[in-house]
Amino acid sequence: MPARAADGYKAPMPRSVFEPFRIHSVEPLRMTTTEERQAAIRTAGFNLFGLHAADVLIDLLTDSGTGAMSRDQWAALQHGDESYAGSPSWFTFLDAVQELFPFEHVIPTHQGRAAEKILFTAIGGPGKVVPNNTHFDTTRANVEYTGASAVDLVVPEGLDPAAEHPFKGNMDVGALTALLVEQGRERVPAVFVTVTNNSGGGQPVSLENLRAVRAVCDAHGVPLFLDACRFAENAWFIREREPGQSGRSVADIVREMASLADGMTISAKKDPLANIGGWLATNDDALAETCRNLLILTEGFPTYGGLAGRDLEAIAQGLREAVDHDYLRYRARSTAYLGEGIAAAGIPIVQPIGGHAVYLDARSLLPHVEPLAYPGQSLAVALYEVGGVRGCEIGTVMFGRRPDGTEAPAAMDLVRLAVPRRTYTQSHVDYVIEVAAEVASRAATLGGYRIAEQPAQLRHFTALFERLP
Ligand SMILES: Cc1ncc(COP(=O)(O)O)c(C=O)c1O
């Protein structure tokens, strides 16, 4: 008897990669007119950080702490135990962290930069040099605040927005070796690798590169730290792109990444899917003791850091969800969808598209605006004025001022459209693409800016700008 049609039938893999969740509660968005937005950005000194969030329609300023928590995270909050010392929530958090990052000492903080501040206070100082593939702004600022130098050593492809390379976040191992030979282990307290490389376009770092960096660190007796904010997205790209990795679970790849390092800093506001939190981890007993003492000065007791017990619970649950393959497939695909749409709309972007954001190449789109007139700021303001879309300049505004006060163009002038996790739908993204197309059509009319007022550090957050005539 012939087999029934259904016997042995396997449906093809669906081509649509859709949100692996349903919406459980909603937040309203407030529509604004062009005139309202023009007035709002002028009042904010043309600084997008100065806007009222209620005046923003689609907020792609950052993926940091802006994601939607899951039902299970909200439920986990109810388990929060607010005991000052030794809370059960601390042990839940510790287990979840060490499941992925089996470092001996885990030191919770209220966010990533608090972990950086404590670590670099302990290991930085005048004359020290900290290499990284690319320092994130707070990381660089915390290194430099101690009097140490922050040196970026990403591979050359990482500085070319158009270069197609699967791991543009990789560290330039030759340059790292040369730096370690020149400076010696006494001056280099740690080598950092940022996964994924946020300031360099959200580009991943391969396992092969991490292993090579580890070997160089071993040869020079220098510890290796991960800035692991986007560890899950990095591991997903390793699984997707690195030969021999496709059969592994993301959790397993994360554990291997951790095994290659001696410690880490992280913001739980990114891949751990929480709205607040971070931690510092190390295998070094003496360093951990110094850091815990600093933690008590500024953050709190070592079993809560700057966090409530309920926050520790939300992070622990978020860590379990962060390595889910359906979630990561959707995350990578939905970010790529935004990037493909923007590129098709005529705005050059950093290729390949990273995990958490699309980086628009403002310097290429606006060749008539010289880097010291901040083409990234110009593009970011235009996206807001035209459609209420808020992005973030990552270029000469953010990185152009040297510690001695002089100014030089950053390596690239980008605008980052960061995608909050599990927050916007495909039709929101279609709207952003429509706005980008309108801005691209007006590119020749966009002018530059000058800075009217700025603080000594991290100026992009609070600087006030004026339009150049
Ligand atoms: C790579 C990287 N490191 C460190 C940080 C700092 O984390 P936080 O904002 O929690 O202080 C960020 C934040 O965006 C980041 O992207």
Side-chain angles (χ1 to χ4, degrees), residues 62-64 110-114 116 134 136-139 194-199 227 229-230 265-270 277-278 356 416:
T62 174
D63 63 322
S64 179
H110 79 278
Q111 60 182 91
R113 70 198 69 185
E116 293 164 0
T134 310
F136 183 65
D137 60 355
T138 61
T139 325
T194 304
V195 293
T196 56
N197 188 20
N198 183 5
S199 308
D227 176 343
C229 292
R230 297 175 182 83
T265 55
I266 188 170
S267 164
K269 300 170 74 173
K270 280 79 174 181
H356 70 294
R416 184 186 71 179

Short mmCIF file of all heavy atoms in Angstrom, two decimals, residues 62-64 110-114 116 134 136-139 194-199 227 229-230 265-270 277-278 356 416, ligand 1:
data_model
loop_
_atom_site.label_atom_id
_atom_site.label_comp_id
_atom_site.label_asym_id
_atom_site.label_seq_id
_atom_site.Cartn_x
_atom_site.Cartn_y
_atom_site.Cartn_z
N THR A 62 19.76 53.95 21.90
CA THR A 62 20.59 52.90 22.48
C THR A 62 19.78 51.63 22.67
O THR A 62 18.55 51.67 22.77
CB THR A 62 21.16 53.35 23.85
OG1 THR A 62 21.85 52.25 24.44
CG2 THR A 62 20.09 53.82 24.80
N ASP A 63 20.50 50.52 22.71
CA ASP A 63 19.88 49.24 23.06
C ASP A 63 20.13 48.95 24.54
O ASP A 63 19.97 47.82 24.98
CB ASP A 63 20.46 48.12 22.20
CG ASP A 63 21.95 47.94 22.46
OD1 ASP A 63 22.67 48.94 22.66
OD2 ASP A 63 22.43 46.78 22.47
N SER A 64 20.56 49.96 25.29
CA SER A 64 21.01 49.74 26.66
C SER A 64 19.89 49.96 27.65
O SER A 64 19.47 51.10 27.89
CB SER A 64 22.16 50.71 26.95
OG SER A 64 22.60 50.54 28.27
N HIS A 110 25.88 48.51 39.50
CA HIS A 110 24.58 48.99 39.02
C HIS A 110 24.54 49.12 37.52
O HIS A 110 23.47 49.09 36.92
CB HIS A 110 24.19 50.31 39.71
CG HIS A 110 24.87 51.51 39.14
ND1 HIS A 110 26.13 51.89 39.50
CD2 HIS A 110 24.45 52.41 38.22
CE1 HIS A 110 26.46 52.99 38.83
NE2 HIS A 110 25.47 53.32 38.05
N GLN A 111 25.68 49.28 36.86
CA GLN A 111 25.72 49.14 35.39
C GLN A 111 27.16 48.96 34.96
O GLN A 111 28.07 48.88 35.79
CB GLN A 111 24.99 50.26 34.66
CG GLN A 111 25.47 51.68 34.87
CD GLN A 111 24.58 52.64 34.08
OE1 GLN A 111 23.60 53.14 34.61
NE2 GLN A 111 24.92 52.92 32.83
N GLY A 112 27.38 48.86 33.64
CA GLY A 112 28.69 48.47 33.14
C GLY A 112 29.80 49.43 33.54
O GLY A 112 30.89 49.02 33.95
N ARG A 113 29.52 50.73 33.45
CA ARG A 113 30.60 51.70 33.71
C ARG A 113 31.04 51.69 35.16
O ARG A 113 32.16 52.08 35.47
CB ARG A 113 30.18 53.09 33.23
CG ARG A 113 29.11 53.73 34.04
CD ARG A 113 28.48 54.86 33.27
NE ARG A 113 27.70 54.36 32.14
CZ ARG A 113 27.10 55.13 31.24
NH1 ARG A 113 27.20 56.43 31.33
NH2 ARG A 113 26.41 54.60 30.26
N ALA A 114 30.18 51.25 36.06
CA ALA A 114 30.58 51.15 37.47
C ALA A 114 31.61 50.03 37.61
O ALA A 114 32.58 50.15 38.37
CB ALA A 114 29.36 50.88 38.34
N GLU A 116 33.63 49.16 35.22
CA GLU A 116 34.85 49.70 34.60
C GLU A 116 35.57 50.63 35.57
O GLU A 116 36.79 50.58 35.71
CB GLU A 116 34.48 50.49 33.33
CG GLU A 116 33.92 49.62 32.23
CD GLU A 116 33.20 50.43 31.14
OE1 GLU A 116 33.14 51.68 31.25
OE2 GLU A 116 32.70 49.81 30.20
N THR A 134 38.25 47.97 20.29
CA THR A 134 37.88 49.39 20.30
C THR A 134 37.21 49.67 21.64
O THR A 134 36.23 49.01 21.99
CB THR A 134 36.88 49.73 19.17
OG1 THR A 134 37.38 49.22 17.92
CG2 THR A 134 36.70 51.23 19.03
N PHE A 136 34.80 51.20 24.17
CA PHE A 136 33.53 51.93 24.20
C PHE A 136 33.78 53.26 24.90
O PHE A 136 34.75 53.41 25.63
CB PHE A 136 32.46 51.11 24.90
CG PHE A 136 31.13 51.79 24.89
CD1 PHE A 136 30.47 52.02 23.70
CD2 PHE A 136 30.56 52.26 26.06
CE1 PHE A 136 29.27 52.69 23.67
CE2 PHE A 136 29.34 52.93 26.04
CZ PHE A 136 28.70 53.15 24.84
N ASP A 137 32.89 54.25 24.71
CA ASP A 137 33.19 55.59 25.24
C ASP A 137 33.41 55.61 26.75
O ASP A 137 34.36 56.22 27.24
CB ASP A 137 32.12 56.61 24.80
CG ASP A 137 30.70 56.29 25.25
OD1 ASP A 137 30.48 55.22 25.83
OD2 ASP A 137 29.80 57.12 25.02
N THR A 138 32.55 54.90 27.49
CA THR A 138 32.72 54.92 28.96
C THR A 138 33.98 54.17 29.38
O THR A 138 34.61 54.52 30.37
CB THR A 138 31.51 54.28 29.68
OG1 THR A 138 31.40 52.91 29.27
CG2 THR A 138 30.22 55.02 29.39
N THR A 139 34.32 53.15 28.61
CA THR A 139 35.52 52.36 28.94
C THR A 139 36.75 53.24 28.74
O THR A 139 37.63 53.32 29.60
CB THR A 139 35.59 51.11 28.04
OG1 THR A 139 34.29 50.63 27.78
CG2 THR A 139 36.43 50.03 28.68
N THR A 194 36.36 43.71 23.27
CA THR A 194 34.95 44.06 23.39
C THR A 194 34.14 43.20 22.41
O THR A 194 34.39 43.22 21.21
CB THR A 194 34.76 45.56 23.07
OG1 THR A 194 35.60 46.31 23.95
CG2 THR A 194 33.32 45.99 23.26
N VAL A 195 33.21 42.44 22.96
CA VAL A 195 32.38 41.55 22.13
C VAL A 195 30.91 41.92 22.33
O VAL A 195 30.45 41.94 23.45
CB VAL A 195 32.61 40.07 22.49
CG1 VAL A 195 34.00 39.62 22.12
CG2 VAL A 195 32.38 39.79 23.97
N THR A 196 30.20 42.19 21.24
CA THR A 196 30.71 42.59 19.94
C THR A 196 31.30 44.01 20.05
O THR A 196 31.11 44.66 21.07
CB THR A 196 29.56 42.65 18.89
OG1 THR A 196 28.55 43.56 19.40
CG2 THR A 196 28.90 41.31 18.68
N ASN A 197 31.98 44.43 19.00
CA ASN A 197 32.71 45.69 19.06
C ASN A 197 31.76 46.86 18.79
O ASN A 197 31.57 47.27 17.64
CB ASN A 197 33.83 45.64 18.02
CG ASN A 197 34.77 46.81 18.13
OD1 ASN A 197 34.84 47.46 19.17
ND2 ASN A 197 35.50 47.08 17.07
N ASN A 198 31.16 47.38 19.85
CA ASN A 198 30.09 48.38 19.72
C ASN A 198 30.54 49.60 18.92
O ASN A 198 29.95 49.95 17.90
CB ASN A 198 29.62 48.78 21.13
CG ASN A 198 28.45 49.75 21.10
OD1 ASN A 198 27.91 50.06 20.04
ND2 ASN A 198 28.05 50.23 22.24
N SER A 199 31.62 50.26 19.38
CA SER A 199 32.03 51.51 18.72
C SER A 199 32.55 51.26 17.32
O SER A 199 32.62 52.18 16.51
CB SER A 199 33.12 52.20 19.54
OG SER A 199 32.69 52.33 20.86
N ASP A 227 35.07 42.76 27.50
CA ASP A 227 33.94 43.66 27.71
C ASP A 227 32.80 42.93 27.00
O ASP A 227 32.68 42.96 25.77
CB ASP A 227 34.22 45.04 27.09
CG ASP A 227 33.02 45.98 27.20
OD1 ASP A 227 31.91 45.49 27.45
OD2 ASP A 227 33.20 47.19 27.03
N CYS A 229 29.42 42.91 26.95
CA CYS A 229 28.02 43.39 26.91
C CYS A 229 27.15 42.62 25.92
O CYS A 229 26.00 42.32 26.19
CB CYS A 229 27.99 44.87 26.52
SG CYS A 229 28.67 45.94 27.77
N ARG A 230 27.72 42.30 24.75
CA ARG A 230 26.90 41.65 23.73
C ARG A 230 27.46 40.26 23.42
O ARG A 230 27.65 39.87 22.26
CB ARG A 230 26.80 42.56 22.49
CG ARG A 230 26.08 43.86 22.87
CD ARG A 230 26.01 44.87 21.78
NE ARG A 230 25.36 46.09 22.26
CZ ARG A 230 25.99 47.07 22.94
NH1 ARG A 230 27.28 46.98 23.20
NH2 ARG A 230 25.31 48.12 23.36
N THR A 265 34.11 42.58 32.24
CA THR A 265 33.15 43.58 32.71
C THR A 265 31.94 43.46 31.77
O THR A 265 32.07 43.02 30.63
CB THR A 265 33.71 45.02 32.61
OG1 THR A 265 34.13 45.26 31.27
CG2 THR A 265 34.88 45.24 33.55
N ILE A 266 30.78 43.85 32.27
CA ILE A 266 29.58 43.77 31.43
C ILE A 266 28.52 44.71 31.95
O ILE A 266 28.45 44.99 33.15
CB ILE A 266 29.03 42.31 31.40
CG1 ILE A 266 27.88 42.18 30.38
CG2 ILE A 266 28.59 41.86 32.79
CD1 ILE A 266 27.45 40.74 30.12
N SER A 267 27.70 45.18 31.04
CA SER A 267 26.48 45.88 31.38
C SER A 267 25.33 44.91 31.16
O SER A 267 25.14 44.40 30.05
CB SER A 267 26.32 47.09 30.45
OG SER A 267 25.00 47.57 30.51
N ALA A 268 24.55 44.66 32.21
CA ALA A 268 23.40 43.74 32.08
C ALA A 268 22.26 44.37 31.31
O ALA A 268 21.24 43.73 31.05
CB ALA A 268 22.93 43.31 33.47
N LYS A 269 22.44 45.65 30.91
CA LYS A 269 21.41 46.36 30.17
C LYS A 269 21.41 46.00 28.68
O LYS A 269 20.59 46.48 27.93
CB LYS A 269 21.62 47.86 30.33
CG LYS A 269 21.56 48.29 31.79
CD LYS A 269 22.02 49.73 32.00
CE LYS A 269 20.97 50.70 31.50
NZ LYS A 269 21.33 52.10 31.86
N LYS A 270 22.38 45.19 28.29
CA LYS A 270 22.44 44.78 26.87
C LYS A 270 21.96 43.33 26.75
O LYS A 270 20.81 43.04 27.05
CB LYS A 270 23.86 44.95 26.34
CG LYS A 270 24.20 46.39 25.96
CD LYS A 270 24.53 47.22 27.14
CE LYS A 270 25.01 48.61 26.78
NZ LYS A 270 25.34 49.38 27.99
N GLY A 277 21.86 47.09 35.64
CA GLY A 277 22.76 46.08 36.20
C GLY A 277 24.05 45.92 35.43
O GLY A 277 24.21 46.44 34.32
N GLY A 278 24.97 45.23 36.06
CA GLY A 278 26.25 44.92 35.44
C GLY A 278 27.06 44.10 36.40
O GLY A 278 26.60 43.81 37.52
N HIS A 356 23.30 44.41 17.13
CA HIS A 356 22.39 45.21 17.93
C HIS A 356 22.05 46.53 17.28
O HIS A 356 21.24 47.29 17.83
CB HIS A 356 23.01 45.49 19.30
CG HIS A 356 24.18 46.44 19.27
ND1 HIS A 356 25.36 46.12 18.66
CD2 HIS A 356 24.32 47.69 19.75
CE1 HIS A 356 26.19 47.14 18.79
NE2 HIS A 356 25.60 48.10 19.44
N ARG A 416 24.57 55.63 14.85
CA ARG A 416 24.13 54.30 15.24
C ARG A 416 22.63 54.31 15.48
O ARG A 416 22.13 55.14 16.25
CB ARG A 416 24.85 53.88 16.52
CG ARG A 416 24.52 52.46 16.94
CD ARG A 416 25.12 52.13 18.28
NE ARG A 416 24.44 52.85 19.35
CZ ARG A 416 24.73 52.74 20.63
NH1 ARG A 416 25.72 51.95 21.01
NH2 ARG A 416 24.06 53.42 21.54
C1 LIG B 1 30.69 47.83 24.80
C2 LIG B 1 30.17 48.57 25.99
N1 LIG B 1 30.88 48.60 27.11
C3 LIG B 1 30.43 49.24 28.21
C4 LIG B 1 29.23 49.90 28.22
C5 LIG B 1 28.79 50.64 29.47
O1 LIG B 1 27.67 50.05 30.05
P1 LIG B 1 26.62 50.94 30.90
O2 LIG B 1 25.90 51.81 29.95
O3 LIG B 1 25.74 49.93 31.56
O4 LIG B 1 27.40 51.72 31.90
C6 LIG B 1 28.45 49.91 27.05
C7 LIG B 1 27.16 50.65 27.03
O5 LIG B 1 26.60 50.96 26.00
C8 LIG B 1 28.93 49.22 25.91
O6 LIG B 1 28.22 49.17 24.77
#
